Amino acid sequence: MENMAEGELLPLEKEEGAQVGVPTSAPASARVSDSAPEPAPTPASAPAPALARAQTPALSPSLASAPEEAESKKHISIQRQLADLEKLAFVTEGDFDSTSSLNSDNLDAGNKQACPLCPKEKFRACNSHKLRRHLQNLHWKVSVEYEGFRMCICHLPCRPVKPNIIGEQISSKMGAHYHCIICSATITRRTDMLGHVRRHVNKGETKSRYIVVSTTKPSNEILKEADTDVQVCPNYSIPQKTDSYFNPKMKLNRQLIFCTLAALAEERKPLECLDAFGATGIMGLQWAKHLGNAVKVTINDMNENSVTLIQKNCHLNKLKVVVDSKEKEGGDCLGEEEQNLGNIKVTKMDANVLMHLRSFDFIHLDPFGTSVNYLDSAFRNIRNLGIVSVTSTDISSLYAKAQHVARRHYGCNIVRTEYYKELAARIVVAAVARAAARCNKGIEVLFAVALEHFVLVVVRVLRGPTSADETAKKIQYLIHCQWCEERIFQKDGNMVEENPYRQLPCNCHGTMPGKTAIELGPLWSSSLFNTGFLKRMLFESLHHGVDDIQTLIKTLIFESECTLQSQFSTQTPSNVKKQEENDVFIKTTDTTTEHLQGKRKSHEVITNLAKKQKSDVSTEHPPFYYNIHRHSIKGMNMPKLKKFLCYLSQAGFRVSRTHFDPMGVRTDAPLLQFKSILLQYSTPTYTGGQSEGYVQSSPENSVADRVE
């Protein structure tokens, strides 16, 4: 690539200096239309040459609704054809009056011109054929295409670059970048530009629509959930674009936690509750608004904008706010209705520091991602028989999509299995149990839920080293067969087993070459549900009108006892009331619980509560479940899931559905018996030339004998 000497550029620079006085209202050098050539403009409206273009910043970022106006406002690096980009370089002052006469002849006239997308320090003026080759190879070939336009790479000083200090000299390196045709972004890498445009397309941001949205500043929106108004910021559902994240898809999670707190409030009042990561404060507002003086709510957030938004939402719901021990009222005066509602204390502090400084009866942890960094602080000052709820949204690591992240955060080895959601729940419970044991506390798992967007674990805290030792014993490793999906927890003992494959019920290691099983864990090996507490949660959901989670809680109750809905146990203790709702007997507690104001309960009351919790523990359900589709037989049609559950129950096994998987079956039947019963009641898929007796006779007779 040949460059001219600096002396040869002096006449051109003088001519450029004469053109600097062009009106700034319409600099045509950076706004070049792709439409047909217009009549020759006056010299006053002539475009500034390359130097003026190099100093011109990026222009209007988006296209208007009208095609002519849209094309006139885009950056010069955005063109439809390569010829349009070449015209920007070959139009000079002398022949600009005859712009309509541009053709291949005058493009090859031999005049040396500079690149319109490169400053003169980077690319000097050269001959036409070399400039055309430069534009094609360095700008056009690496462009990004969008709706007929090409966003070429630009080297002009449109994007500010941080200067680098080398010795005593300051070198400001100019960075290459792309100009987005839709928004005002300038992006350096081509792959990032492709993803940027793809995100615009996925959001439906067209050119005209984006201009309307960007010109008017959006105002804060007010949403309503469970009779609680909450003001949210723009882009509230995108964590990267807002400080106060609000996810409408987590409504089920918030309702489960509310019913948990309502059930705990029936045991002792008042409760000191903490929402460690408030964001908009929606969860703490629901606690204070519906439970009233039974709870003393503290909403914490580290971000100052979120704290301000939480205070606004408290005033919006007519709740009194206490900040730094000073009461701030939502209006000039408070009515009688507001006096019945509890106070909300809003704090701006690191969650770990706050949980170290104060004691709470109920702590909810819902950070963005994993919660392992806050578990030690949560169990440090939690009161005896208090509750800690943990919401983990790092499902990519928990669901075995990022196994290295799960090993880093939870110290656990996992693979993708058919029961991966329950595996994720047991991983989180094991992490919670280890954190509690380090603080000389044990846990009792009240329930664990793993759905599409989150994993929720709710545990009750039991103080004392004895409880901590019992809890630590329930953390074990799992042996999983990768051929047949059979699984079993390792036996207790310090001796190394010679052949750990013997513990598996299957014989895959004897029939298959090589290693067939893998060790997963450490995991929580005990029960994941407390039937008595779930029944009280169901009663509280009926009492407060929380209808969305009643079906889920009933499924959890059936799963905890591993029984079908028709065979649900109706046996309840004599000292507990019974209420029937949809063929389910709900256990409720007496409302004559002793209340103490300002002081902790006596040792007798806590002892009675501990005895009551022991009566809640039901027969432990079998760990894990089987997916009926995973074990289907090729060439056979499976029975309906409800009928298959009845067939397993008639064979003498405990069986229930599971919330982890809509096609999952929780049962204590071995996998061999599970497959045998599934094969017995499956019907063959008939094809041409096959008879019923030929396909069905031999296998079904042998299976029936095996099941008997």
Side-chain angles (χ1 to χ4, degrees):
M1 191 79 63
E2 296 181 1
N3 297 331
M4 291 185 60
E6 295 182 0
E8 299 178 3
L9 292 176
L10 292 178
L12 180 61
E13 293 177 357
K14 292 180 180 179
E15 294 176 1
E16 292 172 355
Q19 299 292 336
V20 173
V22 177
T24 57
S25 59
S29 62
R31 299 183 178 97
V32 179
S33 175
D34 293 326
S35 57
E38 298 179 357
T42 60
S45 62
L51 181 60
R53 277 196 303 268
Q55 298 177 355
T56 303
L59 301 175
S60 180
S62 56
L63 301 178
S65 57
E68 295 81 2
E69 185 181 359
E71 295 182 2
S72 64
K73 289 186 177 182
K74 66 181 184 294
H75 193 266
I76 59 174
S77 63
I78 303 174
Q79 300 294 335
R80 287 187 180 274
Q81 297 177 358
L82 179 60
D84 299 330
L85 190 61
E86 294 174 356
K87 290 178 183 179
L88 298 179
F90 291 106
V91 173
T92 60
E93 182 184 4
D95 59 349
F96 190 83
D97 296 335
S98 59
T99 308
S100 59
S101 63
L102 284 173
N103 51 33
S104 60
D105 296 332
N106 57 15
L107 291 181
D108 297 334
N111 295 330
K112 295 184 178 182
Q113 300 293 340
C115 176
L117 300 180
C118 297
K120 66 176 185 178
E121 295 84 2
K122 181 176 178 62
F123 183 78
R124 300 270 181 162
C126 63
N127 295 328
S128 59
H129 66 281
K130 292 185 178 181
L131 180 59
R132 184 183 295 111
R133 189 167 54 198
H134 166 79
L135 291 174
Q136 183 175 5
N137 295 336
L138 273 77
H139 295 282
W140 191 259
K141 282 188 177 181
V142 293
S143 61
V144 177
E145 187 175 1
Y146 176 74
E147 292 187 356
F149 287 91
R150 288 290 190 96
M151 292 171 278
C152 303
I153 192 167
C154 175
H155 294 272
L156 299 177
C158 311
R159 180 184 177 92
V161 180
K162 187 175 182 180
N164 297 327
I165 300 177
I166 304 176
E168 297 181 355
Q169 298 180 354
I170 299 178
S171 64
S172 58
K173 183 180 179 182
M174 306 307 299
H177 55 274
Y178 294 89
H179 290 269
C180 180
I181 194 174
I182 301 177
C183 67
S184 59
T186 55
I187 299 176
T188 55
R189 299 179 59 185
R190 185 175 185 274
T191 55
D192 297 341
M193 188 66 194
L194 292 172
H196 178 79
V197 175
R198 193 180 302 114
R199 283 191 291 272
H200 278 306
V201 175
N202 294 338
K203 295 177 183 178
E205 292 176 347
T206 59
K207 302 167 189 174
S208 59
R209 176 179 178 270
Y210 192 83
I211 290 174
V212 174
V213 175
S214 59
T215 53
T216 60
K217 184 178 179 180
S219 58
N220 291 349
E221 184 181 356
I222 296 179
L223 303 178
K224 188 165 186 173
E225 180 181 300
D227 297 332
T228 304
D229 297 326
V230 57
Q231 185 178 0
V232 295
C233 298
N235 300 321
Y236 59 87
S237 60
I238 306 175
Q240 293 81 7
K241 293 186 178 182
T242 182
D243 296 330
S244 301
Y245 177 57
F246 178 78
N247 190 359
K249 296 180 181 179
M250 299 291 285
K251 179 181 178 182
L252 197 66
N253 177 275
R254 289 187 284 268
Q255 291 181 348
L256 283 171
I257 296 168
F258 171 77
C259 291
T260 302
L261 183 58
L264 180 63
E266 292 297 325
E267 299 177 4
R268 50 183 177 178
K269 300 177 183 178
L271 295 174
E272 294 190 21
C273 312
L274 171 64
D275 183 8
F277 302 91
T280 59
I282 177 64
M283 190 171 296
L285 293 173
Q286 292 177 356
W287 299 348
K289 194 167 185 178
H290 294 282
L291 299 179
N293 294 325
V295 293
K296 294 181 180 179
V297 181
T298 301
I299 305 177
N300 176 70
D301 202 284
M302 191 64 181
N303 188 274
E304 186 174 357
N305 297 330
S306 297
V307 172
T308 305
L309 185 61
I310 292 171
Q311 297 176 13
K312 293 180 181 178
N313 289 330
C314 292
H315 301 328
L316 186 63
N317 291 274
K318 300 180 181 179
L319 295 170
K320 291 185 284 186
V321 184
V322 178
V323 181
D324 296 333
S325 301
K326 295 181 181 180
E327 183 175 327
K328 294 185 179 181
E329 299 180 355
D332 296 335
C333 60
L334 295 175
E336 295 181 357
E337 182 182 356
E338 297 176 359
Q339 297 292 339
N340 296 328
L341 299 178
N343 298 342
I344 293 183
K345 186 173 182 180
V346 182
T347 59
K348 179 182 176 295
M349 195 180 301
D350 185 80
N352 285 324
V353 176
L354 178 61
M355 289 184 290
H356 272 291
L357 293 177
R358 291 183 53 190
S359 298
F360 294 96
D361 298 288
F362 183 88
I363 296 177
H364 175 61
L365 301 177
D366 187 9
F368 187 74
T370 181
S371 304
V372 293
N373 299 327
Y374 306 95
L375 294 178
D376 290 332
S377 303
F379 285 98
R380 181 65 59 186
N381 284 333
I382 187 70
R383 294 194 176 106
N384 190 24
L385 297 180
I387 290 180
V388 176
S389 63
V390 178
T391 299
S392 299
T393 54
D394 54 334
I395 57 176
S396 60
S397 60
L398 291 174
Y399 291 172
K401 294 180 181 178
Q403 301 176 8
H404 60 287
V405 181
R407 189 177 296 108
R408 181 171 70 245
H409 287 168
Y410 300 95
C412 181
N413 180 36
I414 56 174
V415 295
R416 185 80 169 193
T417 61
E418 63 173 333
Y419 50 91
Y420 66 95
K421 286 189 176 181
E422 184 172 347
L423 200 65
R426 293 184 180 274
I427 290 173
V428 177
V429 176
V432 171
R434 288 195 296 269
R438 285 192 292 268
C439 300
N440 286 336
K441 296 182 179 69
I443 64 168
E444 176 193 0
V445 182
L446 300 180
F447 65 90
V449 175
L451 298 178
E452 182 181 0
H453 303 287
F454 64 91
V455 176
L456 174 62
V457 171
V458 177
V459 300
R460 187 186 294 274
V461 180
L462 306 175
R463 282 187 177 237
T466 304
S467 301
D469 294 338
E470 293 295 329
T471 298
K473 291 179 182 178
K474 298 178 181 178
I475 302 177
Q476 299 178 0
Y477 284 89
L478 182 75
I479 301 178
H480 170 79
C481 180
Q482 299 192 93
W483 286 98
C484 65
E485 298 277 347
E486 186 62 277
R487 73 300 301 246
I488 191 172
F489 283 104
Q490 280 188 357
K491 297 179 181 178
D492 295 334
N494 298 327
M495 302 301 294
V496 178
E497 181 138 5
E498 181 180 358
N499 186 8
Y501 293 103
R502 296 177 183 174
Q503 300 183 21
L504 286 170
C506 63
N507 193 25
C508 296
H509 180 67
T511 58
M512 303 289 182
K515 298 180 179 180
T516 59
I518 189 173
E519 187 180 67
L520 306 180
L523 307 173
W524 177 258
S525 61
S526 186
S527 175
L528 292 178
F529 309 102
N530 186 303
T531 308
F533 192 84
L534 289 173
K535 291 178 182 178
R536 290 199 295 275
M537 285 180 59
L538 181 58
F539 172 73
E540 295 298 333
S541 65
L542 296 172
H543 177 68
H544 292 280
V546 185
D547 301 330
D548 297 339
I549 63 168
Q550 293 178 9
T551 303
L552 175 61
I553 295 178
K554 291 175 184 177
T555 304
L556 295 177
I557 294 174
F558 300 143
E559 189 175 0
S560 64
E561 293 197 347
C562 196
T563 56
L564 299 177
Q565 186 172 359
S566 58
Q567 302 174 354
F568 188 75
S569 175
T570 59
Q571 298 179 358
T572 55
S574 58
N575 59 347
V576 177
K577 297 180 181 179
K578 291 189 295 182
Q579 179 179 348
E580 186 174 2
E581 174 70 20
N582 295 335
D583 298 332
V584 176
F585 285 94
I586 306 161
K587 183 189 302 183
T588 63
T589 57
D590 295 334
T591 57
T592 59
T593 307
E594 182 181 358
H595 306 300
L596 296 179
Q597 298 179 356
K599 297 182 179 180
R600 301 305 307 157
K601 291 185 176 297
S602 61
H603 180 72
E604 296 180 358
V605 178
I606 296 179
T607 305
N608 294 334
L609 289 175
K611 292 180 180 179
K612 186 181 296 184
Q613 296 309 317
K614 292 182 179 180
S615 64
D616 291 342
V617 180
S618 61
T619 306
E620 190 171 319
H621 59 82
F624 302 111
Y625 55 89
Y626 299 106
N627 186 286
I628 188 172
H629 284 298
R630 168 67 176 81
H631 300 285
S632 61
I633 296 94
K634 186 177 180 180
M636 306 286 284
N637 292 330
M638 298 182 302
K640 298 293 183 180
L641 183 59
K642 290 185 178 180
K643 293 183 178 180
F644 180 68
L645 295 176
C646 296
Y647 297 151
L648 280 174
S649 180
Q650 292 173 4
F653 299 109
R654 298 174 60 196
V655 61
S656 70
R657 300 190 67 171
T658 175
H659 81 280
F660 293 111
D661 190 351
M663 298 304 295
V665 178
R666 185 180 296 279
T667 179
D668 58 350
L671 182 60
L672 181 61
Q673 298 292 334
F674 182 89
K675 289 184 175 181
S676 300
I677 298 176
L678 182 62
L679 178 62
Q680 179 182 2
Y681 293 99
S682 298
T683 58
T685 302
Y686 299 104
T687 57
Q690 290 184 347
S691 61
E692 180 178 356
Y694 176 77
V695 177
Q696 191 177 0
S697 59
S698 57
E700 192 160 298
N701 293 334
S702 61
V703 169
D705 297 339
R706 192 187 315 163
V707 172
E708 291 177 359

